[in-house]
């Protein structure tokens, strides 16, 4: 760290007065980087220490193979198979020895211990290697020590600090190193010479190094360097060797594993993730080290260093300018020109760097992937929320500082640019993670744009809401608003990551093209003629995954309320004109009118195709009318948000969200009235033509509607507002000319930064009059109270509608994926087919068959024992009805358990297998009913009962015979006999 190490060619100037240049943000980013490295070491060491694959269907792999997983098959097919068999898979895995993640965690603890030792002993080893001496050894008269003590007092350093001299270094610089609480500033011998010729330059160098200590970046830099070096040697290189060796063996035909070439993409992405981590850490460390130097420069000037010490020329480069721009990103020290620009602009260090947030985005996804092996965070959802908790403070702090520093300057912080770079990092990180199974690229990668929208909405809202909060008069109020801002940003980022891991990544894997998955789910729940609603069903199944992923979290529901309520509260407290509350509410009223028109149009269309009977109306017809109502609510709110954002110049996102919320509230009110007054609306009536006011009917429909669309509407309105703002900026740019600087925030024209060219601080808005404040507060309450009540009611509403009018049947599918993946696709390789069948038999298939056969044997034994009885007077024997009823019930239970097990990994065998099991379950119920007398007894005579019992047993024996035949075929497949 030698920031000032060249001769000074300028006169000393009077030291500037200390001024605020922004708090150094290197600490949190260093902490995030070290967290990513630590978490990555767990997963990497887990892989390195895992037993060597022996190409056999062992226990962990056996359950997946039994479920039908094809290591060489399509990723989407494997996803659907594991989704359909999730309960059976969990049951199977519960009896499997757990993966020994503790090995990776223990190894990581040892790695951290080694890194701590390196961090602790590095300063001492540095002194021994460079043979530095105490300052007293080169300061016989004590003047140097006195001057250093004065500079230390000026910098405010009151804890452990020592000064040493490196006699072998002739440059006019210095370096600071050490560990927490014990730091050393080592002066080069050339700097002591400079002290006599340029005392101001000498003081600038020392104050710069002392500023490093004051900013606490010495600890972060030293700890991260020690951790990274140890991580590379003990974790990264072994991991790359482990994955690279297997990839090399596969590429050059040195393995006969049936997993090859399916494992090529997984191994390739593993290597790519490791290499990207190397690049990420190097770029991030270089960027952090450059920024810490700039912050140290500012700290030195604030404590009296002369600006003249930075008047140096950069050496002429030998590479092209385009190449130099790239190599600059790899440098750990900024150029002299960059340093002078940072010192000349007090707010420059407060800006948000594009590279910084981009690297934070990449770090985020790598952290999610690494946290999956940590107990308690072993689900993508848990890891996503944990990651959002890491990233949100960094994003919020950087934006809040940038907005605060930009007040009164020509620079405006809209948050859009920051959000786009953060989202770009998220997208790149997800791509590098390689969650595509055996495919190099997912079939629908455009769903990754959802992460980009989520990050941009969070950043833009945070920046614009911070600007509104600056008008608050009391510091405690601004801090409270900042804390709420931080919580909302964390919730929005968490919602975006939650959506991606819960729904988006599966849609990107191709699930969007398999709409029959959700079609089967819907049609199995609701009766009716579905051919009439073809396009509506397509729209529903397209929206269902995303809407369901955004309606299952209380923090997200609270954030959706705060996204528009917090700006309204700030307006009520400050009267800031940026929100233009009157126009915003007027836009919301217009959106509400549009929503009512949509609701009436939906009623008009549905009335024209209303079925004749009530039973038909209660099925598909009623279901789709509910979805048409939700569609009208969603569409009107999103259109309103996009329109308001397109025409707004300031606070366009809070304004758009507020207008969308007003539209939504009015839409809910209109929907409640239409459902409650159904029958009184003539051509717009849906269910009945009898006019009655029935609020109960309104509440029946109202609960599922609010639960489904209330929270997603606000979150999607933020995305719509972002698109609308971009469209509005594009139109304004076309009208004004291409010289206008791109800024989706819609700043006024004039200055290239969107200002009129003046840099004086804007005058704060006058405090609102007490009467106006009362009116505005009342307006906020009028909107907040019903919205909060609706959110509470939606949260308490049942999670899903029950199917009506559909009789339960043994043959009805019990899982939402139905017959779509009733049997997994046939594996392409014979060896994989053998393993799948062998795993299916070993992990439960044989056990289920044996349980059924045992019950059938017990029934046969009971019949044999009964046949040995002495006949009664009528020549017949008496059966123990209680015993046979229990045996038939046990048979039903065994058949149902077998049906809940994995489907047979062969389509033809699975059809016969499941059909036979369903027949056993059906006839077992008949047998049970024949042995049990009840009030609704279907049998009129004892002869009917005996006949039904005998026929049921005959059918059961035939079905068991078919199972035996199928089992023989399965055994042939498992042993490779076919």
């Amino acid at each position: 760290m030698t920031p000032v190490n060249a001769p000074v060619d300028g006169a000393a100037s009077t030291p500037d007065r200390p001024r605020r240049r922004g708090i150094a943000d290197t600490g949190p980013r260093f902490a995030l980087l070290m967290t990513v490295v630590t978490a990555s070491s767990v997963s990497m060491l887990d892989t390195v220490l895992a037993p060597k694959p022996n190409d056999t269907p062992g226990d962990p792999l056996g359950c997946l193979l039994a479920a039908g997983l094809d290591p060489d098959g399509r990723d989407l097919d494997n996803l659907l198979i594991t989704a359909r068999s999730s309960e059976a898979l969990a049951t199977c895995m519960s009896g499997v020895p757990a993966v020994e993640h503790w090995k990776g965690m223990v190894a990581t603890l040892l790695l951290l211990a080694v890194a701590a030792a390196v961090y602790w002993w590095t300063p001492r080893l540095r002194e021994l290697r460079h043979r530095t001496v105490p300052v007293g050894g080169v300061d016989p008269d004590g003047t140097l020590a006195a001057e250093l003590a004065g500079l230390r007092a000026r910098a405010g350093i009151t804890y452990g600090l020592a000064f040493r001299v490196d006699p072998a270094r002739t440059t006019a610089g210095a370096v600071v190193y050490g560990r927490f609480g014990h730091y050393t500033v080592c002066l080069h011998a050339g700097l002591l010479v400079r002290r006599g010729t340029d005392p101001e330059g000498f003081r600038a160098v020392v104050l710069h190094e002392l500023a490093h200590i004051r900013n606490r970046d010495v600890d972060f830099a030293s700890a991260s360097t020690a951790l990274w070096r140890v991580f590379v040697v003990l974790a990264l290189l072994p991991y790359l060797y482990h994955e690279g060796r297997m990839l090399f063996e596969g590429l050059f035909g040195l393995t006969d594993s049936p997993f090859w070439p399916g494992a090529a993409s997984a191994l390739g992405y593993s290597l790519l993730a490791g290499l990207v981590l190397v690049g990420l850490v190097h770029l991030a460390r270089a960027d952090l080290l450059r920024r810490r130097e700039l912050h140290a420069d500012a700290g030195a000037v604030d404590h009296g260093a002369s600006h003249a010490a930075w008047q140096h020329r950069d050496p002429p480069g030998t590479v092209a300018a385009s190449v130099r721009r790239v190599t600059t990103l790899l440098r750990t020290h900024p150029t002299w020109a960059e340093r002078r620009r940072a010192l000349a602009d007090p707010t420059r260090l407060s800006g948000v760097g594009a590279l910084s947030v981009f690297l934070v985005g990449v770090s985020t996804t790598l952290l999610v992937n690494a946290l999956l092996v940590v107990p308690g965070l072993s689900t993508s959802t848990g890891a996503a929320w944990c990651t959002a908790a890491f990233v949100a403070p960094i994003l919020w702090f950087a934006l809040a500082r940038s907005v605060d520093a930009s007040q009164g300057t020509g620079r405006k912080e809209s948050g859009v640019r920051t959000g786009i770079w953060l989202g770009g990092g998220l997208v790149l990180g997800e791509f590098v993670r390689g969650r595509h199974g055996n495919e190099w690229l997912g079939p629908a990668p455009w769903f990754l744009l959802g992460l980009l929208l989520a990050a941009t909405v969070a950043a833009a809202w945070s920046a614009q809401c911070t600007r509104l909060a600056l008008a608050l008069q009391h510091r405690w109020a601004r801090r409270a608003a900042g804390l709420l801002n931080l919580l909302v940003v964390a919730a929005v980022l968490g919602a975006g990551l939650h959506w991606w891991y819960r729904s988006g990544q599966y849609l990107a894997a191709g699930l969007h093209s398999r709409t029959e998955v959700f079609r089967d789910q819907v049609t199995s729940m609701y009766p009716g003629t579905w051919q009439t609603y073809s396009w509506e069903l397509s729209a529903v199944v397209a929206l269902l995954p995303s809407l369901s992923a955004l309606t299952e979290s209380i923090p997200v529901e609270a954030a959706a309320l705060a996204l528009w309520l917090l700006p309204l509260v700030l307006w009520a407290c400050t009267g800031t004109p940026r929100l233009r509350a009157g126009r915003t509410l007027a836009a919301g009223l217009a959106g509400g009118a549009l929503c009512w028109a949509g609701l009436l149009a939906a009623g008009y269309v549905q009335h024209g195709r209303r079925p004749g009977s009530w039973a038909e109306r209660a099925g598909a017809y009623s279901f789709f009318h509910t979805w048409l109502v939700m569609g009208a609510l969603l569409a009107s709110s999103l259109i309103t948000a996009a329109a308001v954002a397109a025409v707004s110049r300031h606070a366009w996102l809070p304004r758009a969200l507020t207008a969308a919320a007003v539209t939504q509230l009015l839409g809910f009110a209109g929907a409640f009235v239409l459902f409650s007054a159904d029958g009184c609306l003539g051509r717009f009536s849906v269910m009945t033509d009898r006019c009655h006011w029935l609020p109960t009917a309104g509440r029946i429909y109202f609960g599922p509607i609010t639960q489904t669309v209330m929270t997603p509407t606000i979150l999607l309105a933020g995305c719509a507002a972002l698109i609308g703002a971009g469209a509005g900026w594009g139109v304004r740019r076309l009208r004004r000319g291409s010289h206008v600087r791109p800024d989706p925030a819609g700043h006024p024209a004039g200055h290239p930064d969107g200002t009129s060219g003046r840099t004086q601080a804007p005058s704060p808005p006058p405090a609102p009059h007490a009467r106006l404040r009362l009116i505005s507060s009342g307006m906020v309450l009028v909107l907040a109270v019903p919205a909060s009540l609706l959110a509470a009611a939606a949260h308490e509403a049942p999670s899903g509608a029950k199917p009506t009018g559909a009789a339960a049947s043994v043959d009805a599918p019990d899982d939402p994926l139905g017959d779509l993946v009733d049997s997994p696709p046939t594996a392409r390789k014979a060896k994989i087919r053998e393993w799948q069948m062998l795993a299916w038999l070993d992990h439960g298939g044989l056990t289920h068959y044996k349980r059924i056969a045992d019950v059938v044997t017990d029934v046969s034994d009971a019949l044999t024992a009964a046949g040995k009885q002495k006949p009664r007077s009528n020549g017949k024997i008496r059966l123990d009805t209680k015993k046979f009823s229990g045996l038939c019930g046990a048979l039903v239970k065994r058949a149902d358990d077998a049906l809940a097990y994995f489907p047979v990994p062969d389509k033809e065998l699975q059809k016969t297998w499941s059909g036979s099991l369903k027949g056993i379950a059906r006839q077992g119920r008949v047998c049970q009913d024949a042995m049990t007398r009840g009030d609704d007894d279907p049998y009129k005579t004892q002869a009917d009962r005996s006949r039904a019992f005998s026929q049921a047993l005959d059918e059961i024996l035939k079905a068991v015979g078919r199972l035996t035949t199928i089992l023989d075929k399965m055994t042939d497949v498992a042993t490779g006999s076919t």
Side-chain angles (χ1 to χ4, degrees):
M1 306 171 196
T2 56
V4 184
N5 54 8
V8 178
D9 53 1
S13 60
T14 305
D16 294 337
R17 296 175 57 187
R19 54 185 176 180
R20 180 182 178 84
R21 294 176 181 269
I23 303 173
D25 62 345
T26 52
R29 290 176 53 207
F30 267 124
L32 175 63
L33 189 63
M34 294 168 68
T35 303
V36 172
V37 171
T38 303
S40 298
S41 68
V42 178
S43 58
M44 289 183 178
L45 291 173
D46 233 1
T47 302
V48 173
L49 298 175
K52 182 179 179 180
N54 56 3
D55 287 341
T56 58
D59 281 340
L61 180 62
C63 288
L64 294 173
L65 289 171
L69 179 77
D70 182 3
D72 196 36
R74 294 178 58 214
D75 187 42
L76 178 60
D77 292 333
N78 290 332
L79 285 174
L80 290 177
I81 288 165
T82 53
R84 182 201 186 275
S85 307
S86 57
E87 293 185 5
L89 194 59
T91 303
C92 180
M93 287 294 191
S94 64
V96 170
V99 179
E100 297 178 335
H101 292 305
W102 64 269
K103 292 183 179 179
M105 299 185 70
V106 170
T108 300
L109 292 177
L110 295 177
L111 183 148
L112 293 176
V114 174
V118 172
Y119 165 76
W120 187 264
W121 289 105
T122 294
R124 179 59 179 164
L125 294 176
R126 185 188 186 100
E127 293 173 358
L128 294 176
R129 184 173 70 252
H130 291 280
R131 298 181 180 180
T132 61
V133 297
V135 169
V138 295
D139 182 28
D141 57 358
T143 56
L144 176 59
E147 185 173 4
L148 291 175
L151 293 175
R152 174 180 176 178
R154 182 189 296 186
I157 307 298
T158 59
Y159 35 87
L161 174 63
F163 289 94
R164 299 182 70 87
V165 176
D166 187 349
R169 300 291 295 272
T170 58
T171 56
V175 64
V176 60
Y177 56 87
R179 56 181 182 265
F180 182 75
H182 298 83
Y183 304 106
T184 300
V185 175
C186 184
L187 310 178
H188 297 171
L191 184 63
L192 300 184
V193 177
R194 183 178 183 180
R195 174 172 172 253
T197 60
D198 181 17
E200 288 295 334
F202 169 81
R203 284 191 285 270
V205 173
V206 176
L207 288 173
H208 174 96
E209 302 303 331
L210 295 176
H212 280 304
I213 300 175
R214 186 173 180 83
N215 291 338
R216 297 288 187 183
D217 58 34
V218 178
D219 299 299
F220 290 114
S222 302
S224 64
T225 300
L227 177 61
W228 173 245
R229 290 174 178 174
V230 174
F231 169 76
V232 168
V233 174
L234 298 184
L236 182 60
L237 290 179
Y239 174 78
L240 294 178
Y241 171 77
H242 180 274
E243 300 295 288
R245 178 180 56 82
M246 291 194 294
L247 183 62
F248 177 83
E249 291 175 353
L251 290 176
F252 289 91
L254 302 179
T255 177
D256 57 353
S257 171
F259 294 149
W260 196 264
S265 61
L267 293 173
Y269 273 114
S270 295
L271 290 173
L272 180 60
L275 295 176
V276 167
L277 182 62
V278 173
L280 165 70
V281 172
H282 188 80
L283 286 173
R285 287 188 69 251
D287 180 63
L288 288 168
L289 292 175
R290 287 195 303 271
R291 284 190 72 86
R292 73 189 282 265
E293 295 299 328
L294 297 177
H295 280 287
D297 289 344
V301 171
D302 289 345
H303 290 97
S306 172
H307 281 273
W310 282 264
Q311 299 302 319
H312 304 289
R313 293 182 179 180
D314 291 303
T318 59
V319 296
S322 57
V323 178
R324 192 181 306 118
R325 282 193 293 269
V326 176
T327 57
T328 300
L329 301 178
L330 304 177
R331 298 181 55 174
T332 58
H333 281 68
T335 62
W336 288 109
E338 186 178 357
R339 288 180 163 188
R340 287 191 295 271
R341 286 194 297 268
L343 290 176
D345 182 3
T347 66
R348 190 176 185 87
L349 291 179
S350 300
V352 184
L355 177 63
S356 302
V357 290
F358 178 79
L359 295 175
V360 166
V362 179
S363 303
T364 298
T365 50
L366 293 179
L367 182 58
V368 172
N369 190 40
L371 288 176
L372 292 179
V373 299
V374 178
L377 298 175
S378 56
T379 63
S380 296
T381 301
W385 282 105
C386 181
T387 303
F390 270 100
V391 177
I394 298 176
L395 177 64
W396 168 80
F397 176 77
L399 287 172
R401 189 188 57 181
S402 180
V403 170
D404 188 17
S406 67
Q407 295 299 299
T409 68
R411 182 175 62 85
K412 298 296 181 182
E413 177 61 73
S414 68
V416 174
R417 175 176 170 271
T418 300
I420 290 175
W421 279 105
L422 176 64
L426 293 174
V427 171
L428 177 62
E430 280 299 328
F431 174 77
V432 170
R433 288 178 68 196
R435 298 285 293 264
H436 315 301
N438 297 322
E439 301 166 352
W440 288 99
L441 185 64
W446 51 84
F447 281 99
L448 281 165
L449 294 177
L451 290 174
L452 182 65
L453 290 174
T456 308
V457 168
W461 183 89
S462 180
Q464 296 174 35
C465 199
T466 298
R467 191 177 297 278
L468 295 176
L470 289 177
L472 292 170
Q473 297 180 356
H474 301 288
R475 177 178 297 181
W476 65 266
R478 292 192 294 272
R479 289 182 176 177
L483 177 60
L484 292 175
N485 191 321
L486 170 60
L487 294 177
V488 173
V489 169
V492 173
L493 287 175
L497 292 169
H498 174 78
W499 166 84
W500 170 251
Y501 294 115
R502 183 67 185 269
S503 177
Q505 64 177 344
Y506 302 110
L507 294 173
L511 191 60
H512 71 289
S513 62
R514 304 290 289 271
T515 54
E516 58 267 37
V517 174
F518 303 105
R519 284 177 181 267
D520 288 351
Q521 180 182 13
V522 174
T523 54
S524 65
M525 292 177 62
Y526 294 89
T529 305
W530 293 92
Q531 291 79 5
T532 314
Y533 311 100
S534 177
W535 73 268
E536 292 98 330
L537 182 57
S538 299
V540 168
V541 299
L543 285 173
L544 195 58
S546 295
L547 291 181
S548 62
L550 296 175
T551 56
E552 301 174 355
S553 173
I554 295 179
V556 176
E557 294 173 1
L561 282 175
L563 280 173
W564 61 275
L565 275 179
L566 183 57
L568 273 183
V569 172
L570 293 175
W571 165 74
C573 295
T574 63
T576 173
R578 286 181 172 270
L579 201 56
R580 295 185 179 272
R583 296 184 182 182
T584 302
L585 294 177
L589 294 175
L594 176 64
C595 184
W596 289 352
L599 294 175
L600 291 175
Y604 183 86
V605 171
Q606 287 293 88
H607 184 86
R609 55 183 182 182
R610 184 171 62 182
S613 66
W614 273 98
E616 293 176 310
R617 297 178 191 178
Y621 173 80
S622 174
F623 173 82
F624 276 118
H625 178 64
T626 304
W627 273 94
L628 284 176
V629 170
M630 290 191 287
L633 287 165
L634 270 171
S636 58
S637 299
L638 268 59
I639 291 173
T640 302
V644 171
V647 300
S648 299
R649 301 298 186 88
H650 302 284
W652 50 268
L653 185 53
R655 289 188 62 194
L657 292 173
T658 301
V662 174
T663 299
Q664 185 187 55
L665 291 176
L666 293 175
F668 283 146
F672 179 77
V673 171
L674 290 179
F675 283 124
S676 300
D678 190 42
C680 305
L681 305 174
R683 187 66 179 81
F684 303 100
S685 298
V686 177
M687 298 297 294
T688 181
D689 291 325
R690 298 181 61 183
C691 183
H692 292 289
W693 173 255
L694 297 174
T696 304
R699 287 194 295 270
I700 291 175
Y701 285 94
F702 201 62
I705 290 176
T706 53
Q707 184 190 38
T708 304
V709 301
M710 185 170 183
T711 297
T713 295
I714 299 300
L715 298 177
L716 294 176
C719 300
L722 190 65
I723 297 172
W729 165 79
V731 171
R732 286 191 293 271
R733 183 177 183 183
L734 290 176
R735 294 176 60 184
R736 295 174 181 172
S738 60
H739 64 280
V740 180
R741 180 183 177 183
D743 189 354
H747 294 306
H751 192 273
D753 290 328
T755 67
S756 60
R758 295 173 297 180
T759 59
Q760 66 269 23
S763 57
H769 191 271
R771 181 178 178 183
L772 293 178
R773 179 172 293 181
L774 182 62
I775 295 175
S776 59
S777 300
M779 187 180 301
V780 172
L781 288 176
V782 167
L783 294 175
V785 171
S788 303
L789 293 177
L790 285 175
H795 184 68
E796 296 297 330
S799 58
K802 300 289 184 184
T804 56
S809 171
V810 225
D811 298 324
D814 293 330
D815 64 78
L817 301 184
D819 293 331
L820 176 64
V821 284
D822 186 60
S823 181
T826 302
R828 288 180 286 186
K829 292 187 177 181
K831 188 67 174 178
I832 296 296
R833 291 195 294 271
E834 293 176 17
W835 283 7
Q836 287 177 342
M837 196 64 73
L838 179 61
W840 189 91
L841 292 171
D842 287 347
H843 284 80
L846 283 174
T847 301
H848 286 295
Y849 171 80
K850 186 176 182 303
R851 288 175 179 173
I852 293 174
D854 289 344
V855 177
V856 172
T857 300
D858 292 341
V859 172
S860 178
D861 292 343
L863 287 174
T864 301
K868 295 179 180 179
Q869 297 176 6
K870 182 179 181 181
R872 293 185 297 175
S873 58
N874 57 3
K876 297 182 178 180
I877 60 175
R878 182 181 181 86
L879 297 179
D880 187 347
T881 57
K882 184 176 181 181
K883 180 178 182 179
F884 278 95
S885 175
L887 289 173
C888 292
L891 199 58
V892 173
K893 178 67 168 56
R894 298 292 185 268
D896 287 341
D897 290 343
L899 283 170
Y901 182 59
F902 301 121
V904 179
D906 183 287
K907 191 173 290 292
E908 295 302 323
L909 294 180
Q910 165 61 16
K911 289 181 180 179
T912 310
W913 178 266
S914 61
S916 300
L917 290 176
K918 291 175 182 177
I920 292 174
R922 185 187 306 107
Q923 297 303 324
R925 290 185 175 88
V926 172
C927 169
Q928 194 174 20
D929 292 341
M931 291 288 101
T932 306
R933 296 180 181 273
D935 297 335
D936 52 348
D937 196 344
Y939 305 105
K940 297 181 179 180
T941 63
Q942 184 63 32
D944 293 339
R945 189 182 302 278
S946 299
R947 189 180 306 109
F949 176 74
S950 300
Q951 291 177 351
L953 290 183
D954 290 340
E955 294 296 328
I956 289 173
L957 291 176
K958 292 178 182 178
V960 172
R962 290 193 297 271
L963 290 182
T964 304
T965 303
I966 297 169
L967 195 65
D968 292 338
K969 295 181 179 178
M970 294 181 192
T971 304
D972 292 340
V973 174
T975 56
S977 302
T978 56

